[in-house]
C-alpha cells in the first residue's frame, strides 16, 4: 500500500471512531537508515627509509588517518649485527633486501617505530629477509616469526643502542598481530603457522575487487583488490609496485611521473567512489617506502588521502583497528544517510 493510501485509510478509521481526523505532523516520516562509514586501509611494506616514515606520519597528522606498517626486521640489524638473523634454509646474515646501513640508521628507525606506535599506527610483520616462503614448512615459518619477534624485542640491546625506551619489550611482544607475506606468496603451512605464532590477521591476499575480509582458523584474511586503471580500465592490484610495472615495466621513467601520478589517483578515486556510493566494502591500498617513478605513487596517495580521509563519513584506519573493532563485537561506526 502506498504512503498516501495508508494516510487515507487512517483518516477514514479515525472519522468512524472519533469523528475527527488529523494530518500527519511535518517530519513524521521514519529517518533513512544509517549507512556505515567507508573504511579505507592504507599500508606500507618493508618500512625502511627514515624520510618516508616521517612523510607518512605527517600525512596521517594532516588527514587523521592511521596506517599499518609492515616491518622487515632485517632493517633493525646493522652490518655489524646482521648475523643475528638466519633465514630458513640459509646461512646467517643473508637477506633479499639487505640490512640497515649503520647503527645510527637502526636507532633512527627504532625512534620512528616508537613514534608511529605512540600516534596510534599499527606495526605489523613483513617477516625478516623478504624470502619467498611458498615452499616453507610450518616449522620454517615459525622460525621466521621467532626471528622477527626476537630481533624486534631486543633491537636496542643487539645493536648497543641506549637508552631502551620503557615498555619497548612489552610492545614488541604484544603489539604485532598482523602479517603480510613477501611477494604476497602464501601457502597452507603459512596459515597453520600464523595462529600458532599468535597472529590475528594476514594481509597477503589478492581479490578481484574490494571484499569483506573473512576469518578462518582465527586469522582474518585481507586482500588487496584489483581495481580498474588506465585508458582501458584494465585491472591492476591496488599497490604501488604493480602500478609501477604497469606504467613503466618496472623501470624508472621520471618523465612520465605526472601522468603516472594522475592515472594512479584516478584509479584510487574511482575504486573509492564505487564503494562510497555503493555497499561501502573496505578499500585496501598498498605502498612501499620506495619512491618509484620519481614519487608518482606517493604523490597520488597524498592527493587521494587528503581528499577522502578527511570526510566525516570515511575512516582511514589500520588493519589492527579494523579487527579490534570486529573482535570487540562493535558495529562499524555509522552516519545518518
Amino acid at each position: 500500500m502506498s504512503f498516501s493510501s495508508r494516510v487515507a485509510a487512517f483518516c477514514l478509521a479515525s472519522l468512524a471512531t472519533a469523528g475527527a481526523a488529523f494530518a500527519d505532523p511535518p517530519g513524521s516520516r521514519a529517518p533513512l537508515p544509517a549507512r556505515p562509514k567507508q573504511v579505507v586501509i592504507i599500508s606500507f611494506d618493508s618500512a625502511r627509509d627514515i624520510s618516508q616514515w616521517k612523510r607518512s606520519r605527517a600525512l596521517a597528522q594532516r588527514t587523521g588517518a592511521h596506517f599499518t606498517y609492515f616491518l622487515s626486521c632485517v632493517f633493525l640489524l646493522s652490518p655489524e649485527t646482521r648475523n643475528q638473523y638466519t633465514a630458513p634454509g640459509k646461512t646467517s646474515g643473508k637477506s633479499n633486501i639487505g640490512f640497515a646501513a649503520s647503527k645510527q640508521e637502526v636507532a633512527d628507525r627504532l625512534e620512528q617505530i616508537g613514534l608511529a606506535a605512540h600516534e596510534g599506527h599499527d606495526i605489523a610483520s613483513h617477516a625478516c629477509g623478504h624470502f619467498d616462503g611458498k615452499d616453507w614448512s610450518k616449522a620454517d615459518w615459525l622460525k621466521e616469526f621467532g626471528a622477527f619477534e626476537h630481533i624486534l624485542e631486543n633491537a636496542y640491546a643487539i645493536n648497543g643502542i641506549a637508552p631502551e625506551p620503557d615498555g619497548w619489550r612489552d610492545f614488541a611482544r604484544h603489539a604485532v598481530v598482523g602479517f603480510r607475506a613477501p611477494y604476497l606468496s602464501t601457502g597452507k603451512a603459512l596459515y597453520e603457522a600464523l595462529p600458532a605464532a599468535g597472529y590475528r590477521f594476514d594481509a597477503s591476499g589478492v581479490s578481484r575487487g574490494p571484499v569483506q575480509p573473512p576469518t578462518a582458523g582465527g586469522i582474518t584474511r585481507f586482500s588487496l583488490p584489483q581495481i580498474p586503471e588506465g585508458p582501458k580500465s584494465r585491472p591492476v592490484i591496488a599497490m604501488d609496485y604493480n602500478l609501477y610495472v604497469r606504467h613503466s615495466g618496472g623501470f624508472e621513467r621520471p618523465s612520465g611521473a605526472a601522468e603516472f601520478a594522475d592515472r594512479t589517483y584516478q584509479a584510487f578515486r574511482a575504486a573509492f567512489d564505487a564503494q562510497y556510493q555503493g555497499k561501502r566494502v573496505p578499500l585496501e591500498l598498498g605502498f612501499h617506502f620506495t619512491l618509484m617513478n620519481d614519487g608518482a605513487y606517493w604523490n597520488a596517495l597524498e592527493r587521494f588521502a587528503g581528499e577522502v580521509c578527511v570526510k566525516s563519513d570515511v575512516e582511514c584506519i589500520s588493519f589492527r583497528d579494523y579487527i579490534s573493532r570486529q573482535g570487540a563485537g562493535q558495529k562499524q561506526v555509522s552516519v545518518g544517510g
Side-chain angles (χ1 to χ4, degrees):
M1 181 183 293
S2 69
F3 179 77
S4 59
S5 298
R6 291 198 302 272
V7 171
F10 171 78
C11 291
L12 288 173
S14 300
L15 284 170
T17 58
F22 301 91
D24 285 356
S28 64
R29 289 189 183 187
L32 293 173
R35 298 193 69 195
K37 286 193 175 185
Q38 176 63 50
V39 168
V40 179
I41 305 177
I42 297 167
S43 60
F44 303 96
D45 289 8
S46 291
R48 180 171 189 168
D49 292 355
I50 304 303
S51 61
Q52 297 302 92
W53 273 103
K54 294 178 179 179
R55 183 175 176 180
S56 62
R57 289 176 46 238
L59 174 62
Q61 289 163 6
R62 292 196 304 272
T63 62
H66 284 151
F67 302 136
T68 294
Y69 295 92
F70 289 105
L71 176 67
S72 295
C73 83
V74 290
F75 297 141
L76 302 182
L77 298 175
S78 70
E80 294 76 25
T81 59
R82 62 187 292 169
N83 286 333
Q84 290 281 331
Y85 169 61
T86 304
K90 308 289 183 182
T91 56
S92 64
K94 301 293 184 184
S95 165
N96 264 356
I97 50 174
F99 294 83
S102 66
K103 172 181 173 178
Q104 185 58 53
E105 186 188 299
V106 174
D108 292 343
R109 186 169 296 108
L110 288 170
E111 179 185 27
Q112 291 300 312
I113 292 170
L115 288 169
H118 178 74
E119 291 160 3
H121 297 292
D122 176 18
I123 308 300
S125 171
H126 198 42
C128 287
H130 211 273
F131 293 105
D132 187 341
K134 68 178 182 300
D135 295 323
W136 285 358
S137 66
K138 178 181 177 181
D140 290 334
W141 277 113
L142 290 174
K143 178 181 180 181
E144 184 79 348
F145 295 153
F148 180 95
E149 183 176 348
H150 172 77
I151 292 168
L152 180 63
E153 181 179 340
N154 296 281
Y156 282 91
I158 288 171
N159 292 284
I161 299 169
E164 179 179 294
D166 292 341
W168 176 264
R169 291 173 182 264
D170 185 66
F171 157 78
R173 292 188 193 109
H174 300 110
V176 177
V177 297
F179 178 73
R180 174 173 281 156
Y183 310 108
L184 305 179
S185 184
T186 64
K188 179 181 178 183
L190 170 63
Y191 291 109
E192 292 173 346
L194 282 168
Y199 287 94
R200 295 175 57 199
F201 75 82
D202 170 75
S204 308
V206 174
S207 55
R208 290 195 175 186
V211 295
Q212 291 286 355
T215 299
I219 300 296
T220 301
R221 299 190 186 185
F222 294 92
S223 298
L224 286 166
Q226 296 180 65
I227 61 174
E229 188 277 337
K232 297 183 179 179
S233 296
R234 291 189 296 135
V236 65
I237 297 172
M239 183 174 246
D240 56 0
Y241 179 76
N242 301 83
L243 289 155
Y244 177 57
V245 172
R246 162 71 60 82
H247 293 159
S248 60
F251 296 94
E252 285 299 311
R253 187 148 68 87
S255 62
E259 174 195 351
F260 302 149
D262 187 64
R263 279 179 56 166
T264 300
Y265 164 78
Q266 296 297 340
F268 289 168
R269 190 60 202 251
F272 170 85
D273 288 344
Q275 295 307 319
Y276 184 69
Q277 297 164 8
K279 296 182 179 180
R280 298 204 169 179
V281 174
L283 175 66
E284 301 171 37
L285 303 175
F287 298 85
H288 295 77
F289 273 16
T290 307
L291 292 176
M292 305 169 214
N293 277 330
D294 200 29
Y297 309 104
W298 272 68
N299 293 339
L301 165 63
E302 288 174 326
R303 180 182 175 188
F304 172 81
E307 290 181 1
V308 308
C309 294
V310 297
K311 290 179 176 288
S312 62
D313 54 354
V314 174
E315 289 186 306
C316 292
I317 62 174
S318 69
F319 288 111
R320 185 191 62 200
D321 290 340
Y322 184 90
I323 64 164
S324 294
R325 176 185 300 162
Q326 305 305 309
Q330 298 174 345
K331 292 184 178 180
Q332 195 175 121
V333 177
S334 299
V335 295

